[in-house]
Amino acid sequence: MSKNNFTIGVLGGMGTYATIHLFEQYAEEFKAEKEWDRPRIIIDNRCTMPSRVRAFIYNENVDILVSEMVDSMKHLIESGCTRIILACNTSHLFLPEIYKIVPEAKDKVVNIIYNCVERIKEDKVKEVYLLASEGTIDSNIYQDALTREGIKCIVPDKSEYSLLRDCIEAVKQNKYSDDVKNTFVELINRYDSCILGCTELPILYSKYLESVTCNNVYDPLLNAVKILKKEYENE
């Protein structure tokens, strides 16, 4: 594959501001004097999809969700995308069903969860705190992947899920408050290492960075973009 053929596909809209933030990260990571020095990127901001969290927890609209994700995957592949990012952690729970229908997507998807765990392993971190949607936390997708690597994963108590929802919804609605800031800062500063396991949370991290004391903060989407940058440079 040549650099001219290297094309990044993004299945976004989960939510829109998280997708915008991902695009900003792409522009920052792929620094270029001329626009054509960057790889092509195609973004499907498919904000019409049902809730991924409710699909997992309540088995609600699963068929509709999988159908829409499959449709977007097919369009991204047909458009020439050689690598695909899902801009939502919880959406990764449905990849097995998607691969049954679109098997060619398996080699193109950059799994932000598994790649994040690999980065934490490389950093020799032995204990990490996971902030994410309740669907992602309850699925154990991060916990299982971390445990396989001998890394302890700590999660918020179920009674704190509503606090996480408040933080996530603040970003989705682009409405911030002192309460949201205080909640997020208190959560992220609890441990020395933290995974921002919902794609809205890195926006809060950037917004309130001056108040963050957590030393190792992992943004799975940014990590994926960095991986793609290395792949692009090696073409």
Side-chain angles (χ1 to χ4, degrees), residues 213-225:
T213 57
C214 179
N215 287 321
N216 304 307
V217 178
Y218 294 93
D219 175 354
L221 272 185
L222 178 58
N223 184 61
V225 173

Side-chain angles (χ1 to χ4, degrees), residues 11 14 52 56 65 69 73 84-99 109-116 136 139 141-142 197 199 220-221 224:
L11 177 46
M14 307 177 279
R52 281 67 56 198
F56 172 75
L65 174 60
M69 289 180 68
M73 287 284 203
I84 296 174
I85 294 178
L86 277 64
C88 169
N89 287 264
T90 312
S91 68
H92 286 65
L93 298 174
F94 304 95
L95 279 175
E97 292 302 312
I98 291 167
Y99 292 154
V109 169
V110 181
N111 191 303
I112 67 173
I113 293 172
Y114 296 157
N115 281 293
C116 181
T136 297
S139 74
I141 191 169
Y142 269 106
T199 51
L221 272 185

